[in-house]
Amino acid sequence: MNRSQTGASSQELLARYQAAFMPNYGVPPVALVAGQGCLAWDADGRQYLDFIAGIAVSSLGHAHEALAEAVGEQVHSIVHTSNLFINEQEVLLAEELRRLLGGQGRVFLSNSGTEANECALKLAIKYGKSRGRGRGGRGYFVAAENGFHGRSMGALSLTGKQSIREPFGPFALDVRFVPYGDAQALAEAVTGECAAVFLEPTLGEGGVVPPPDGYLAAARQICDDTGALFVMDEIQSAIGRTGTWFAHQHDGVRPDILTLAKGLGGGLPIGACVGFGPAGELFAKGDHGSTFGGNPVACAAALAVLHTIEKEGLLGNAAEVGALLKDGLAALGHPLLAGVRGRGLWLGVVLAEPVAARVEAAARDAGFLVNAVQPNVIRLAPPLVVTAGQAGALVDAFPSILDAAKEG
């Protein structure tokens, strides 16, 4: 369980990684080779409690039997069909997503969150070209400063994080960025010439930043008043991460287009774009496609994830353990701890100094995997199966982790 298949040490694997891969990720500090639930082991046999879950992906944790059985059974049946043929797993998954969304929506299945957002963008472009007060239709888009929607050129054009945008601009699309959470700024930016508004229900890569109360409802109303589509990017936040199936359900709003990925496949690559009402019928035959989208193995995995979340009561677990984790950390009173924000098992630990990278390293040394998502924010997104005891272990260890980070 806790050794690499070839017997290579962590140091050996890191050196081979550096020689074989492009340098866009740098060299990750740990070579993980096995996992069970919320535990993971590196190539040297060291054990960690995983509070990253592959960036909010491993909903059921590592090596969950239901996921393994579903994938194995499907591999022994049929692995791939392409979009030229129907496979039953994709139909079942689309129907299940519609059920969880109140029996509404039309689904497109992709391989990732970025691709789900590309689908949403193409829908919005087609909508914009066919409608609008001006002769040219609706020609621009609105998104949030510090928002994140992906790294392909279309999704990147909607991403408000300047450090990753600037090296690849200029972009073909007219996207206007507004401060996240500022309803007045959003209202001023969205006119009858706007095709769509793209928002996250909470900024994920921006540091797990929730909006003010009423912001998403205000965004919904602004789009209704102007005729712009409201696109909700729930790549990170959906599939139970905040204690409900979809984070927008906390606010009682429904977008015109919803994008999903990450936790949906429990570790296998899959994404989904769901269009509601007219937005679900914008595409004509040939407008969009994906060779691997709707892959039966990935869909079988996603179905296992959804069914297991229901069977094991993991929505409630995310809410309950998330509250224990948030309250426990907030009560520590450490001088380096400025606060904790977020909901469920999607939390941002805000630091009083920009030392998140040092906190991440100190946590790793203490046997916990966490993520420095911003210079002053640690992101926590453990598997939905995390226990109260495991959350308590991190809370208990956190003061010494912060002490170690402060000492440098």
Side-chain angles (χ1 to χ4, degrees):
M1 170 179 279
N2 55 356
R3 288 289 186 269
S4 75
Q5 292 182 359
T6 63
S9 68
S10 291
Q11 186 174 2
E12 291 170 333
L13 288 173
L14 297 181
R16 288 161 59 187
Y17 180 99
Q18 188 172 21
F21 283 91
M22 292 184 182
N24 50 300
Y25 295 123
V27 181
V30 175
L32 295 179
V33 298
Q36 184 68 50
C38 292
L39 297 175
W41 288 268
D42 69 16
D44 301 322
R46 186 169 185 202
Q47 178 181 291
Y48 303 88
L49 262 175
D50 183 0
F51 279 79
I52 301 175
I55 315 180
V57 166
S58 302
S59 306
L60 306 183
H62 304 288
H64 196 289
E65 190 61 30
L67 188 62
E69 287 183 2
V71 168
E73 182 177 339
Q74 188 59 47
V75 166
H76 282 90
S77 177
I78 190 167
V79 171
H80 178 69
T81 61
S82 84
N83 55 55
L84 298 177
F85 308 97
I86 295 170
N87 73 78
E88 186 178 20
Q89 298 301 319
E90 68 179 345
V91 176
L92 291 171
L93 178 57
E95 290 174 340
E96 189 70 359
L97 289 173
R98 282 169 48 86
R99 180 181 72 83
L100 297 175
L101 289 163
Q104 300 178 0
R106 302 286 288 273
V107 179
F108 174 82
L109 294 173
S110 64
N111 312 298
S112 68
T114 294
E115 292 177 52
N117 282 335
E118 289 285 343
C119 177
L121 182 57
K122 286 181 72 174
L123 286 169
I125 289 171
K126 187 166 186 182
Y127 171 80
K129 286 185 174 181
S130 64
R131 295 167 173 81
R133 298 171 185 169
R135 186 175 179 181
R138 295 171 175 265
Y140 74 93
F141 304 85
V142 173
E145 295 173 1
N146 295 317
F148 185 85
H149 300 287
R151 293 179 183 268
S152 60
M153 292 302 286
L156 186 59
S157 69
L158 296 162
T159 293
K161 189 175 180 180
Q162 289 302 311
S163 62
I164 65 174
R165 277 177 57 84
E166 289 179 358
F168 301 99
F171 297 93
L173 295 177
D174 180 1
V175 182
R176 305 174 190 182
F177 294 97
V178 296
Y180 185 74
D182 187 334
Q184 182 61 39
L186 184 64
E188 292 173 358
V190 180
T191 72
E193 308 303 317
C194 177
V197 173
F198 282 74
L199 291 175
E200 300 166 82
T202 286
L203 293 182
E205 299 300 314
V208 194
V209 182
D213 290 342
Y215 177 67
L216 297 181
R220 174 71 274 178
Q221 189 61 54
I222 290 165
C223 290
D224 288 343
D225 291 344
T226 60
L229 293 178
F230 185 21
V231 183
M232 188 79 75
D233 178 340
E234 289 226 39
I235 304 304
Q236 275 193 50
S237 59
I239 316 302
R241 180 127 307 268
T242 66
T244 57
W245 281 111
F246 310 98
H248 69 265
Q249 292 172 334
H250 291 289
D251 294 85
V253 300
R254 193 188 74 182
D256 297 300
I257 299 174
L258 174 68
T259 57
L260 312 168
K262 290 194 180 291
L264 178 59
L268 271 74
I270 190 169
C273 178
V274 185
F276 299 96
E281 301 178 356
L282 285 165
F283 280 156
K285 182 178 179 180
D287 276 349
H288 196 48
S290 170
T291 298
F292 292 101
N295 173 271
V297 178
C299 290
L303 285 165
V305 167
L306 299 179
H307 294 159
T308 302
I309 288 174
E310 284 193 318
K311 181 180 178 181
E312 298 187 2
L314 297 183
L315 296 183
N317 191 67
E320 293 165 15
V321 177
L324 290 173
L325 183 58
K326 182 179 182 179
D327 293 345
L329 290 169
L332 291 177
H334 194 281
L336 193 54
L337 184 60
V340 186
R341 61 195 181 206
R343 178 185 271 139
L345 293 173
W346 197 33
L347 302 176
V349 180
V350 184
L351 305 172
E353 301 173 24
V355 293
R358 299 211 308 249
V359 172
E360 178 185 306
R364 190 166 57 246
D365 290 342
F368 299 90
L369 300 179
V370 301
N371 173 228
V373 68
Q374 288 288 311
N376 68 328
V377 182
I378 292 292
R379 172 172 50 188
L380 302 178
L384 304 186
V385 297
V386 66
T387 66
Q390 290 168 332
L394 178 63
V395 172
D396 291 343
F398 218 68
S400 61
I401 291 170
L402 294 175
D403 286 342
K406 195 166 182 64
E407 292 170 4

